[in-house]
Amino acid sequence: MYQTVHINPALPNKPRSSVLVIYTGGTLGMVYDRLNDQLVPFDFEQILDRVPEIRRLDFELTVVTLNELIDSSNMKPDHWIDLGRIIRKNYVDFDSFVILHGTDTMAYTASALSFLLEGLNKPVILTGAQLPIGVARTDARENFITALEIAAAQENGRPMVPEVCIYFNSLLLRGNRAKKKESVHFNAFHSENYPHLAMAGVSIEYNTPFIRSYDPEAHLVLHEEMETQVMVLPLFPGINRQVIGAILGIPGLRGLILETYGAGNAPTDTWFLNALKSAVDRGLIIANVSQCDGGRVTQGRYQTSKLLQQIGVVSGGDLTVEAAVTKLMFLLAGEPDPDRLKKRLAEPICGEMSV
Ligand code: ASP
């Protein structure tokens, strides 16, 4: 059971759209509790006091608050599946969805939802803030109001952005291309390998050629499993045999994201390549993703990546680590055939990588 609040911003006419807001926690919803001298999550019943501009929006809002509001550092795959279930349950009744979420793991949640919500044809916009809604200089109000506007935006009766996105500080980004890059300034997210989907200034300008098209035939199918026996291993000069051996030897480990250098390069030491090769031969799925935010892994360009290709490491192309780890969790849970799994890992499923 979740707490649900209906917000009726005194609409003059028939509302043009209905938006379901799902409040999960994070900095955005914090207010200062003078009595106990601490920041606490605010009660959404007071949203009109905090963000009175909502009264001027001409669409209907309903807010669902998760039972336990969390700092997004505590986000887990089970939360992603719960969010998916809330969206599936309300899919027919609402035109779009806005998820209020902490910034720390927002890119992971956005990526995960893009895989779990197969056939999504409605906007799912995640947003949050760097400063709590109760602070005078907060970015929460602008982020929230514009995320709502984007979620409600339609053209010829169809949503402008029928996909999972992150809206933050004027930019709308594809969710599975976004990355948190900044912990202090308001421009918290970027998407190095894919253009922004919209920019909000005096008006909201949509970058239509890059937005997923509406598919009149699509039906929502929610996937409800994620495999958590995965690991992310960033390489660094000096990483030694014991460390590699310990990680590859984790009992039950099924998937590994190897964060390599530059265009997908790794050391060529025989012990290193042998360790990876025997793990791949045992059935471990290894994906090669770059430590660089921009550019892509091109296995085979240098000898140092060609050897990885030869031992069966899958190229992650221009996947972000967030998209790679959630894609691996998703595929390991739902794709039993290892060859098909490797093929799907290397190909785009929902716009998360370029071909
Ligand atoms: N630690 C917070 C969170 O991710 C930070 C934020 O919301 O920006 O929940």
Side-chain angles (χ1 to χ4, degrees):
M1 273 301 290
Y2 301 107
Q3 193 201 337
T4 305
V5 184
H6 297 278
I7 296 164
N8 287 320
L11 301 169
N13 300 310
K14 197 180 163 308
R16 74 177 147 96
S17 176
S18 59
V19 185
L20 182 70
V21 177
I22 309 170
Y23 175 36
T24 69
T27 297
L28 177 136
M30 296 285 168
V31 286
Y32 185 60
D33 168 12
R34 259 177 244 278
L35 220 59
N36 300 303
D37 187 27
Q38 60 180 4
L39 284 169
V40 291
F42 95 120
D43 183 349
F44 243 96
E45 302 265 0
Q46 313 156 3
I47 185 73
L48 289 176
D49 302 334
R50 297 274 168 200
V51 193
E53 298 87 340
I54 284 186
R55 284 203 179 82
R56 277 180 254 147
L57 301 175
D58 59 348
F59 44 85
E60 250 171 24
L61 283 189
T62 301
V63 181
V64 170
T65 301
L66 296 197
N67 289 337
E68 189 200 358
L69 293 171
I70 56 169
D71 183 297
S72 78
S73 314
N74 282 317
M75 232 347 119
K76 310 266 183 326
D78 284 348
H79 293 109
W80 301 334
I81 292 162
D82 280 349
L83 289 170
R85 288 184 179 139
I86 295 173
I87 291 170
R88 179 180 59 189
K89 185 161 170 257
N90 293 285
Y91 197 65
V92 178
D93 297 331
F94 289 86
D95 295 316
S96 57
F97 303 85
V98 167
I99 301 178
L100 300 178
H101 194 290
T103 56
D104 289 347
T105 63
M106 193 185 290
Y108 288 91
T109 300
S111 296
L113 288 176
S114 74
F115 298 116
L116 294 174
L117 296 166
E118 187 184 328
L120 180 76
N121 231 351
K122 296 189 176 186
V124 173
I125 316 290
L126 288 93
T127 196
Q130 295 284 57
L131 275 178
I133 205 158
V135 169
R137 286 182 51 249
T138 184
D139 52 338
R141 258 178 249 126
E142 196 284 313
N143 285 346
F144 184 33
I145 299 265
T146 308
L148 290 170
E149 288 276 8
I150 290 171
Q154 295 182 351
E155 197 176 52
N156 305 324
R158 291 179 171 182
M160 290 296 289
V161 270
E163 57 173 300
V164 181
C165 302
I166 289 183
Y167 175 76
F168 216 91
N169 189 51
S170 310
L171 289 181
L172 182 73
L173 307 174
R174 175 168 286 170
N176 54 31
R177 296 293 196 136
K179 205 173 182 63
K180 183 168 179 181
K181 62 144 180 168
E182 172 61 57
S183 62
V184 174
H185 298 118
F186 287 152
N187 54 340
F189 289 90
H190 72 168
S191 161
E192 278 293 297
N193 288 324
Y194 200 75
H196 60 262
L197 304 185
M199 186 182 264
V202 172
S203 59
I204 300 172
E205 283 162 22
Y206 291 91
N207 205 358
T208 316
F210 294 97
I211 298 175
R212 195 162 108 183
S213 353
Y214 178 87
D215 175 3
E217 305 295 314
H219 291 288
L220 183 74
V221 177
L222 173 69
H223 297 271
E224 295 177 79
E225 266 178 273
M226 287 295 232
E227 171 60 86
T228 56
Q229 291 287 11
V230 297
M231 176 73 198
V232 180
L233 173 60
L235 295 179
F236 55 91
I239 190 164
N240 70 28
R241 194 187 276 225
Q242 284 73 25
V243 169
I244 294 286
I247 286 172
L248 295 176
I250 294 171
L253 188 70
R254 295 191 59 206
L256 176 76
I257 304 295
L258 191 66
E259 261 193 62
T260 56
Y261 308 121
N265 305 312
T268 52
D269 304 83
T270 313
W271 65 263
F272 175 75
L273 293 168
N274 284 346
L276 289 185
K277 179 164 186 330
S278 62
V280 170
D281 292 346
R282 277 196 326 264
L284 184 72
I285 307 288
I286 306 185
N288 182 356
V289 168
S290 176
Q291 293 177 16
C292 300
D293 287 354
R296 57 181 301 125
V297 164
T298 313
Q299 288 197 147
R301 176 136 165 237
Y302 294 90
Q303 186 213 14
T304 45
S305 66
K306 195 169 187 122
L307 295 170
L308 294 179
Q309 188 176 30
Q310 282 164 359
I311 60 178
V313 171
V314 180
S315 169
D318 60 355
L319 282 175
T320 61
V321 173
E322 293 84 340
V325 72
T326 52
K327 185 174 183 179
L328 194 55
M329 287 176 164
F330 167 73
L331 289 175
L332 284 167
E335 179 53 74
D337 179 67
D339 291 331
R340 268 188 58 83
L341 193 158
K342 287 186 187 180
K343 192 165 173 292
R344 292 180 69 193
L345 189 56
E347 291 170 354
I349 295 177
C350 48
E352 76 282 8
M353 69 200 298
S354 314
V355 272

